[in-house]
Amino acid sequence: MMSGKHYKGQEVSCCIKYFIFGFNILFWLLGVAFLGIGLWAWSEKGVLSNISSITDLGGFDPVWLFLVVGGVMFILGFAGCIGALRENTFLLKFFSVFLGIIFFLELTAGVLAFVFKDWIKDQLNFFINNNIRAYRDDIDLQNLIDFTQEYWECCGAFGPDDWNLNIYFNCTDSNPSREKCGVPFSCCTKDPAEDVINTQCGYDVREKSDAEQRNYIYVKGCVPQFEKWLQDNLTVVAGIFIGIALLQVRTASSAVAVRICYLYFIFLSLFLQIFGICLAQNLVSDIEAVRASW
C-alpha cells in the first residue's frame, strides 16, 4: 500500500537543459547564416558550377573564413542543441570535447605566436605579398586587402613598393596599365572633407619622391602596423588584468576604448567557452545520475 508521500529521485536541471538548448540554437542559426553567405558568395563567383576553380585563385579567398567558421558553428550548435533537448550524453560530450579542443587551440596559437613571433612575421609577410600578386583576381580578396590597409593605415607588406609584385601596379617599362607605379586607393590618406572616395588617388604616386609620397599615401607597411597593433593591445591586456583599464574606459581615448572593448569581447568569448563546457558536463552528470537511479 502506497503512502501519501511521493519519492523524489534525481532530476535533470531544466534550467541548464533549456539554457544550453536556447544558446546553441542561436549559435546553430548563426552558423547556417555564415554557411549561406559563403555558398552565396561562391555561387556569385561561379565556383559552385566549376569546383576546380577553387584552386585557380593565387591568393587567399575570404569566403573560406565564412565556410570554416560557419561549419564549426553549425556542428557545435547542432550537437549542443539536440544533445540538450534529447538528453543525449554522446552529443553533449562531443559538444564539450569539441569546445575544449577549440579553446586549447586558441591558447596554443596565442603561446606559439608569442614564442615564434619572428616566424609568424615572415609568414605574414609571405601571405600579404602572395595576396598582393592576386589583388585583381578576386573581388573578395581585393575588398579584404583594401579593408586591411584602410584599418591599419598601411600600404603593402613593408611599404608601398611591395605593390611592384602586382602586374597592374609595377613600374616596369613593359607595363601598359594605367595603374603603373601606383597603389590601390586604400593606401591613400583620407581627407575628412571628401564625401566620395577617389579611387584614382594612388595613380602614379610611386613616381614621386619618398617625402612627397607621405602627403598622399600611407608609407608604413602592414606587417609593422600589425606588430604595433599587437603591442598596443598587449598593453591594454595588462591594464585589464590589474583592473585599471576597465575603470578608466570612460576617460580613455576613443582608440584605447575600442581596443579595450575588443579585448573584453575576446576574454568574454573564452569565458563563455569554459562556461559552456561546464554546463554541458553538469547536464551530462545529471542525465547519468537519473539513468543510474532507474
Side-chain angles (χ1 to χ4, degrees):
M1 185 175 187
M2 295 180 61
S3 62
K5 296 181 179 180
H6 294 281
Y7 171 74
K8 186 176 181 180
Q10 293 283 348
E11 293 182 352
V12 175
S13 172
C14 291
C15 180
I16 295 177
K17 175 180 177 178
Y18 289 109
F19 179 83
I20 294 177
F21 171 77
F23 177 80
N24 278 284
I25 199 168
L26 293 176
F27 205 63
W28 179 78
L29 289 173
L30 196 57
V32 171
F34 270 69
L35 285 173
I37 292 172
L39 293 174
W40 170 79
W42 267 3
S43 175
E44 288 293 303
K45 292 191 291 186
V47 173
L48 295 182
S49 58
N50 183 17
I51 299 298
S52 62
S53 63
I54 293 176
T55 59
D56 292 344
L57 181 62
F60 172 71
D61 189 350
V63 174
W64 279 110
L65 285 175
F66 285 92
L67 294 175
V68 172
V69 172
V72 171
M73 293 177 69
F74 180 89
I75 294 171
L76 269 178
F78 177 83
C81 179
I82 302 301
L85 185 65
R86 303 296 299 173
E87 298 181 7
N88 187 308
T89 56
F90 173 78
L91 287 177
L92 288 172
K93 288 178 180 178
F94 172 81
F95 171 80
S96 299
V97 171
F98 201 172
L99 205 57
I101 291 173
I102 293 174
F103 179 75
F104 175 76
L105 290 176
E106 289 174 350
L107 292 180
T108 303
V111 173
L112 291 178
F114 179 78
V115 174
F116 300 104
K117 53 186 177 183
D118 290 335
W119 181 83
I120 296 291
K121 180 179 176 180
D122 292 339
Q123 292 302 310
L124 183 61
N125 179 31
F126 174 79
F127 176 78
I128 293 176
N129 285 336
N130 192 44
N131 286 290
I132 283 176
R133 293 186 183 93
Y135 178 74
R136 292 296 191 199
D137 296 348
D138 183 80
I139 187 63
D140 294 321
L141 175 62
Q142 181 175 312
N143 290 335
L144 179 62
I145 292 175
D146 287 334
F147 170 79
T148 301
Q149 293 189 142
E150 288 178 336
Y151 180 77
W152 281 330
E153 298 183 350
C154 58
C155 189
F158 284 96
D161 286 339
D162 288 331
W163 282 98
N164 274 327
L165 296 170
N166 187 277
I167 60 173
Y168 299 101
F169 295 99
N170 68 58
C171 293
T172 57
D173 294 333
S174 59
N175 183 9
S177 172
R178 178 63 188 87
E179 295 175 310
K180 174 183 176 181
C181 258
V183 292
F185 73 92
S186 53
C187 285
C188 298
T189 55
K190 300 298 180 289
D191 184 355
E194 290 185 354
D195 295 328
V196 180
I197 297 175
N198 179 11
T199 57
Q200 299 180 358
C201 61
Y203 283 15
D204 306 319
V205 72
R206 287 191 292 118
E207 292 181 344
K208 305 179 186 295
S209 66
D210 292 343
E212 287 183 295
Q213 287 182 23
R214 295 177 182 274
N215 298 324
Y216 300 97
I217 62 173
Y218 304 120
V219 294
K220 294 180 180 179
C222 291
V223 172
Q225 287 296 86
F226 177 68
E227 290 178 327
K228 181 179 180 296
W229 178 83
L230 282 180
Q231 291 171 359
D232 291 343
N233 281 286
L234 287 174
T235 303
V236 178
V237 169
I240 290 176
F241 274 120
I242 62 176
I244 294 176
L246 289 178
L247 296 176
Q248 294 180 338
V249 170
R250 292 184 180 180
T251 59
S253 66
S254 59
V256 174
V258 169
R259 289 199 297 269
I260 290 174
C261 292
Y262 173 74
L263 289 166
Y264 179 74
F265 173 78
I266 293 176
F267 287 124
L268 180 62
S269 175
L270 294 175
F271 169 76
L272 287 175
Q273 289 180 47
I274 298 174
F275 185 60
I277 293 171
C278 293
L279 283 180
Q281 288 301 311
N282 198 339
L283 185 57
V284 169
S285 298
D286 285 353
I287 294 170
E288 290 178 343
V290 169
R291 290 176 179 175
S293 65
W294 288 352

